Amino acid sequence: KQLTVVVNQLHDLRVKVARKSFQIGPNFARLLVTPVGNTTINKVRNRAEDLKIRLGLEHSPFVDSAAGAICIDVELPPEHKQPVTLAEALLEPPAVPETTPIFPVGKDVSGETKWADLSNSNECHFLVAGTTGSGKSELLKVIIAALARRLPPERLQFVLIDPKRVTFNFGQSTSPYFRHPIANTVDEALPLLSDVFKETERRFELLQQQQLDNLDQLQAKTGDAPPRIVLICDEFADLMADNETKADLEQPLKQLSSKARAAGIHLILATQRPEANVVTPLIRSNLPGRICLRVKSKGDSSIVMNRPDACELLGKGDLLWERGAGMIRLQSPLATREELEDALRF
């Protein structure tokens, strides 16, 4: 009924569209409409704030394009929202080899879980942005739990950096998955980056000796490849607060992101503040995977996604994933503390 009202309100605002179909997802309903006459997607976008007022919504409708249609996403009332659990998201993994390092990014409006594959060159490293309450830290925990559920410690190691000391505050710091204790300061983080870079170089020497291209080929040939390493840094903006520290960090991060994939080493850098002096062109160009949860401003959104509307996301796991040449909107799963601790084998 509300979606029909959307079409009627657009008509009252002299934006002519025809209703095509609709879908209902975990947190929002998607109305697909076709433009009528001289209606364009920008004309619909320009009326999003008017629709918010007329429909009494907390958030403006999210307007995007689809094949042959315009998508208008409208937030569901609280009583109709459905959380996505990690257990639910893990039910139907894609048909890939058991050793493939995949994790669920979230469910789309049709209920299909979308997975990221760290062995894919377009998804080997990620930039993740989201303000307080966006669900960014929860997504990082989902990534850790899902990867650990899939791969044993002999095939996977984590290097975790947590300047705010809350995201990876697991209560216990000893896990067979941890290559090092969790780092909280620049002085603790720099040796970890140095170690990972040295390990990258060592692995390239192994690959060169075996005349191979990547870690998967080494495992297939010898059955004894070193484990994948996933380096996750939350709030890396805090580590780059001054110019001296920024210079110390930016260069090893560039070196790792530009060549570590073939060695089975992956970077996931997350921040609340995706400002231009933090998410520099050097960092952005070497992190092909982009996930943006709700951010504070259109400028922050544009820095991460090259589009301004991630500031209109709903928070609590509502995200945009730039996947290849396209963009998909997902609801990320939620991992309980028990699921995370069980996966990490504390």
Side-chain angles (χ1 to χ4, degrees):
K1 181 178 179 181
Q2 190 180 43
L3 297 178
T4 301
V5 173
V6 171
V7 173
N8 293 337
Q9 291 293 342
L10 284 172
H11 285 187
D12 288 346
L13 293 165
R14 299 183 180 179
V15 179
K16 303 298 183 183
V17 296
R19 175 171 168 166
K20 185 177 181 181
S21 63
F22 72 94
Q23 296 172 302
I24 297 179
N27 282 328
F28 64 87
R30 171 166 294 168
L31 173 64
L32 292 176
V33 299
T34 53
V36 176
N38 64 352
T39 295
T40 65
I41 188 170
N42 285 333
K43 287 186 177 181
V44 178
R45 282 193 177 123
N46 291 339
R47 291 303 190 179
E49 196 71 15
D50 294 309
L51 288 174
K52 172 185 174 181
I53 295 169
R54 289 179 172 228
L55 298 174
L57 302 173
E58 183 178 351
H59 300 280
S60 296
F62 195 91
V63 181
D64 205 352
S65 61
I70 297 172
C71 304
I72 305 174
D73 294 346
V74 179
E75 182 180 9
L76 291 173
E79 64 270 19
H80 293 297
K81 292 185 177 181
Q82 298 178 342
V84 178
T85 66
L86 177 61
E88 178 187 354
L90 294 175
L91 285 177
E92 297 182 6
V96 294
E98 291 183 359
T99 56
T100 306
I102 58 173
F103 62 86
V105 179
K107 283 199 168 190
D108 66 13
V109 70
S110 71
E112 181 182 356
T113 301
K114 300 295 184 179
W115 295 73
D117 178 359
L118 292 177
S119 66
N120 183 321
S121 61
N122 293 318
E123 302 169 7
C124 56
H125 309 302
F126 275 91
L127 172 63
V128 180
T131 191
T132 302
S134 66
K136 169 181 62 66
S137 296
E138 298 306 320
L139 175 61
L140 297 181
K141 294 174 185 176
V142 163
I143 293 172
I144 292 170
L147 288 172
R149 285 276 298 267
R150 187 168 182 85
L151 300 172
E154 302 79 39
R155 307 293 330 132
L156 173 70
Q157 293 181 333
F158 290 110
V159 175
L160 303 179
I161 302 173
D162 183 11
K164 290 192 179 298
R165 302 172 187 263
V166 292
T167 301
F168 305 135
N169 182 18
F170 301 136
Q172 303 181 56
S173 59
T174 302
S175 165
Y177 283 98
F178 292 172
R179 184 176 176 87
H180 299 284
I182 298 169
N184 301 120
T185 66
V186 173
D187 289 341
E188 294 172 349
L190 284 174
L192 270 58
L193 290 173
S194 176
D195 169 71
V196 174
F197 181 71
K198 290 176 182 176
E199 177 64 12
T200 302
E201 295 297 305
R202 187 187 73 83
R203 293 184 181 195
F204 270 105
E205 290 179 6
L206 285 175
L207 293 173
Q208 186 177 26
Q209 291 168 8
Q210 296 286 341
Q211 297 182 324
L212 300 172
D213 296 328
N214 56 56
L215 192 75
D216 289 333
Q217 292 178 4
L218 184 62
Q219 177 65 19
K221 181 176 180 179
T222 68
D224 190 30
R228 289 186 183 274
I229 296 174
V230 181
L231 189 155
I232 304 179
C233 179
D234 193 20
E235 298 308 338
F236 77 96
D238 290 4
L239 298 179
M240 301 178 70
D242 62 69
N243 289 333
E244 183 178 350
T245 301
K246 180 178 176 180
D248 290 340
L249 287 169
E250 194 172 34
Q251 190 58 31
L253 288 174
K254 173 188 177 295
Q255 292 172 325
L256 285 171
S257 59
S258 62
K259 64 186 297 187
R261 180 188 72 86
I265 296 174
H266 312 279
L267 299 183
I268 299 175
L269 303 184
T271 182
Q272 284 188 36
R273 299 181 285 112
E275 299 159 358
N277 64 335
V278 173
V279 185
T280 64
L282 191 63
I283 288 178
R284 194 163 60 242
S285 64
N286 285 290
L287 299 175
R290 310 280 178 81
I291 294 174
C292 195
L293 298 100
R294 185 178 174 89
V295 291
K296 285 187 176 180
S297 69
K298 292 182 178 180
D300 288 349
S301 175
S302 296
I303 287 172
V304 180
M305 308 300 281
N306 293 317
R307 56 184 288 170
D309 42 7
C311 59
E312 300 292 348
L313 294 172
L314 305 176
K316 297 183 179 180
D318 186 23
L319 63 83
L320 293 175
W321 177 16
E322 185 180 294
R323 193 176 196 186
M327 189 85 62
I328 52 177
R329 188 179 182 184
L330 305 171
Q331 177 64 37
S332 69
L334 184 66
T336 65
R337 189 178 185 89
E338 291 74 19
E339 286 175 319
L340 186 60
E341 293 180 349
D342 181 64
L344 289 174
R345 306 185 187 183
F346 283 137

